[in-house]
Amino acid sequence: MSTIELRQLTIGYPLKHSNYIVAEYLNATLHSGRLTCLIGANGVGKSTLLRTLSAFQPSLEGEIIIDGRNLRDFSDRELSKTIGVVLTGKPDVQNMTVFDIVGLGRSPYTGYFGTLSDKDKEIVRESMEQVGISHLSRRRIQTLSDGERQKMMIAKALAQQTPVIFLDEPTAFLDYPSKVEMLQLLRQLSREVDKIIFLSTHDMELALQIADELWLMHDLDVTVGTPAELAADGSLSAFIDRPGISLDPQSLTIKVLDK
């Protein structure tokens, strides 16, 4: 089982004479085999936290420990074999096939020219099969729907064979049934391949229904627990409830009320 521990972690951006702090002294743990969703208001710092955990930007203080080892001690090559990242933006390429894109996930293991071995190709095929896109193997990526494109990028992360996958708003631009399917797929993958899968989302009600654990980001801090635990202690109601909107803590559904 893999773990990522945040120890007194402070995140933000260095300024000329001080630091702009987004969140400070965070202590929390991610576990493999669970789907963990990061929720919170716009601008609260979810993307900053994901970028820091992904080593795209340094922390200001504290430590990020992956399986007992400090993130700062990883080389770029080691990071590429440890953390896979799926971003919201669409790939800015044309005329590549789905197989080609998923094959890029093997780049940490291929030689200088990126030539895929027979083993690499088999891993690519298995990754596409895991997310149900084997039939799209030869499709050009510009012909894909948003949902198909997201599955392709998840398959690429799976082909990378990392114990950790971070996703930034993976359900953005999807219709509701596709959002449900995507989160169910990610939960299933977390169990089947025993990975840490951690994603940010604004699809609150789906996260409440599907996530194993929530990280609720607010006021420079993060509150961690299962959806039921955060409903029971009032954390979710404090975040969701406002005039005309109320959380039902029993059913974990959000109700729109007459004002």
Side-chain angles (χ1 to χ4, degrees), residues 203-246:
D203 292 312
M204 181 67 59
E205 195 157 10
L206 289 183
L208 297 180
Q209 300 293 322
I210 296 176
D212 296 304
E213 190 167 69
L214 297 175
W215 285 23
L216 173 58
M217 199 166 185
H218 58 92
D219 300 329
L220 302 179
D221 200 3
V222 170
T223 301
V224 176
T226 67
E229 288 169 346
L230 296 191
D233 70 13
S235 297
L236 287 173
S237 291
F239 171 58
I240 294 170
D241 289 2
R242 61 198 70 187
I245 304 174
S246 178

Side-chain angles (χ1 to χ4, degrees), residues 74-82 106-111:
F74 284 72
S75 67
D76 289 344
R77 186 170 180 81
E78 288 172 326
L79 280 172
S80 70
K81 294 182 177 182
T82 304
R106 299 302 301 160
S107 59
Y109 310 95
T110 57

Side-chain angles (χ1 to χ4, degrees), residues 28-49:
T29 303
L30 291 166
H31 299 274
S32 61
R34 302 182 193 176
L35 176 65
T36 305
C37 290
L38 175 63
I39 59 175
N42 286 333
V44 76
K46 298 187 297 297
S47 293
T48 301
L49 177 57

Side-chain angles (χ1 to χ4, degrees), residues 128-235:
M128 291 191 296
E129 184 176 350
Q130 282 181 300
V131 300
I133 60 168
S134 297
H135 62 292
L136 301 176
S137 177
R138 295 303 169 190
R139 283 267 298 275
R140 302 287 176 178
I141 65 170
Q142 63 266 29
T143 70
L144 302 178
S145 69
D146 289 333
E148 290 169 340
R149 191 180 296 109
Q150 286 288 64
K151 288 181 180 179
M152 175 187 70
M153 298 309 294
I154 292 170
K156 175 178 174 289
L158 289 174
Q160 200 172 333
Q161 292 191 316
T162 59
V164 180
I165 299 178
F166 295 139
L167 305 98
D168 188 15
E169 290 288 340
T171 57
F173 314 121
L174 302 183
D175 58 36
Y176 189 81
S178 297
K179 290 176 187 286
V180 175
E181 181 186 38
M182 183 63 65
L183 288 183
Q184 288 176 328
L185 169 64
L186 290 168
R187 184 174 65 177
Q188 177 185 346
L189 288 173
S190 71
R191 287 155 168 71
E192 288 182 352
V193 292
D194 195 35
K195 292 182 185 291
I196 292 173
I197 296 186
F198 184 52
L199 63 94
S200 65
T201 182
H202 285 106
D203 292 312
M204 181 67 59
E205 195 157 10
L206 289 183
L208 297 180
Q209 300 293 322
I210 296 176
D212 296 304
E213 190 167 69
L214 297 175
W215 285 23
L216 173 58
M217 199 166 185
H218 58 92
D219 300 329
L220 302 179
D221 200 3
V222 170
T223 301
V224 176
T226 67
E229 288 169 346
L230 296 191
D233 70 13
S235 297

Side-chain angles (χ1 to χ4, degrees), residues 107-120:
S107 59
Y109 310 95
T110 57
Y112 178 80
F113 295 103
T115 303
L116 298 181
S117 67
D118 289 342
K119 180 182 177 182
D120 291 321

